[in-house]
């Protein structure tokens, strides 16, 4: 079970939002690259980046910050003799040229969210052009998918879209319960498991992680196909110690999904 620190980028800073509201942003660091290094030193094996400005603008807005993070990640990997530390990125990615540019910069996985729902042809093309590098982000409330920074409900069922996108060839799905994101009220385990059981590709849980008990609850259902969890406000506010939680997850899931 991977614990994946989130670095949400707004105006070049590392922030966290409550329920996707740009007006409810807490700045946790003026230097996202330094924050990335902090989580790597705590034992992170993958990083989750979101260009929040990009998500709302529909085009990349924090590329300089992304590049600075990638440089730190690459240097850390070399210094510690690590083959690769994957970095996944979402937010405002709407065309194949942008995907190619980010992959060339060193991003491992591109997360397509709103564009996957509104323009499934684009997602299909992206999976064909960059196999193994495309993750879909499905943000949902009460089983229905939301788009446009969670401001609009699409009416699509999560499982229907997930099975459709699996057939396109997406690498995995990040499933966020937007009613819980940033609220630290606990992961929606039931909905996450239900989705994982409906597809064969891995699910990454997101939204509501609060404490070690949530990590342990996810580890208990990992064999359903849940490979990781996005860690946001919990690790920034200290309700979870990333290093200790990853060690506990390793202990509980050793050998699972091998």
């Amino acid at each position: 079970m991977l614990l994946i620190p989130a670095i949400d980028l707004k105006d070049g800073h590392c922030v966290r939002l409550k329920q996707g509201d740009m007006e409810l942003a807490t700045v946790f660091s003026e230097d996202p690259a330094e924050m990335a290094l902090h989580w790597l030193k705590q034992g992170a094996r993958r990083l989750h980046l979101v260009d929040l400005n990009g998500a709302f603008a529909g085009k990349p807005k924090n590329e300089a910050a992304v590049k600075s993070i990638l440089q730190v990640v690459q240097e850390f990997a070399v210094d510690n003799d690590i083959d690769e530390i994957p970095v996944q990125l979402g937010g405002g990615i709407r065309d194949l040229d942008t995907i190619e540019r980010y992959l060339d910069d060193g991003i491992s996985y591109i997360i397509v969210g709103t564009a996957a729902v509104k323009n499934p042809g684009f997602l299909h093309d992206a999976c064909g052009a960059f196999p193994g590098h495309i993750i879909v982000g499905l943000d949902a409330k009460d089983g229905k998918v939301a788009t446009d920074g969670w401001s609009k409900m699409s009416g699509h069922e999560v499982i229907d879209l997930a099975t459709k996108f699996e057939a396109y060839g997406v690498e995995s799905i990040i499933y966020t319960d937007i009613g819980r994101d940033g609220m630290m009220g606990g992961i929606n385990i039931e909905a996450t498991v239900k989705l994982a059981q409906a597809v064969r590709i891995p699910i990454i849980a997101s939204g509501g992680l609060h404490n070690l008990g949530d990590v342990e609850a996810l580890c208990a259902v990992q064999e359903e196909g849940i490979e990781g969890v996005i860690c946001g406000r919990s690790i920034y506010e200290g309700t979870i110690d990333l290093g200790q939680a990853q060690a506990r997850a390793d202990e509980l899931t050793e050998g699972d999904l091998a």
Side-chain angles (χ1 to χ4, degrees), residues 40-162:
L40 294 174
K41 288 178 176 178
Q42 294 291 311
R45 297 172 196 156
R46 185 188 290 201
L47 296 177
H48 174 82
L49 311 184
V50 180
D51 180 347
L52 291 172
N53 301 105
F56 283 86
K59 57 184 178 181
K61 290 290 187 178
N62 282 284
E63 286 193 75
V66 170
K67 287 184 177 181
S68 68
I69 290 169
L70 287 171
Q71 183 175 349
V72 163
V73 170
Q74 290 156 5
E75 289 172 356
F76 182 87
V78 170
D79 292 345
N80 291 274
D81 198 26
I82 299 171
D83 285 342
E84 183 189 16
I85 301 170
V87 179
Q88 58 197 43
L89 168 69
I93 299 169
R94 304 283 192 269
D95 60 74
L96 298 181
D97 287 343
T98 301
I99 294 176
E100 185 171 28
R101 188 168 72 248
Y102 274 135
L103 292 177
D104 286 345
D105 287 342
I107 291 292
S108 305
Y109 303 105
I110 295 294
I111 303 162
V112 182
T114 292
V117 181
K118 290 189 160 185
N119 185 5
F122 162 63
L123 178 67
H124 191 275
D125 290 346
C127 289
F130 309 105
H133 293 285
I134 306 299
I135 294 174
V136 162
L138 291 180
D139 306 327
K141 187 173 184 179
D142 301 325
K144 302 286 187 181
V145 173
T147 63
D148 299 277
W150 306 349
S151 63
K152 299 176 182 176
M153 299 305 294
S154 70
H156 293 290
E157 296 284 345
V158 171
I159 288 177
D160 291 345
L161 284 184

Side-chain angles (χ1 to χ4, degrees), residues 197-212:
Q197 290 172 336
V199 296
R200 294 179 300 279
I201 55 176
I203 300 298
I204 298 171
S206 175
L209 187 73
H210 178 54
N211 56 31
L212 193 58

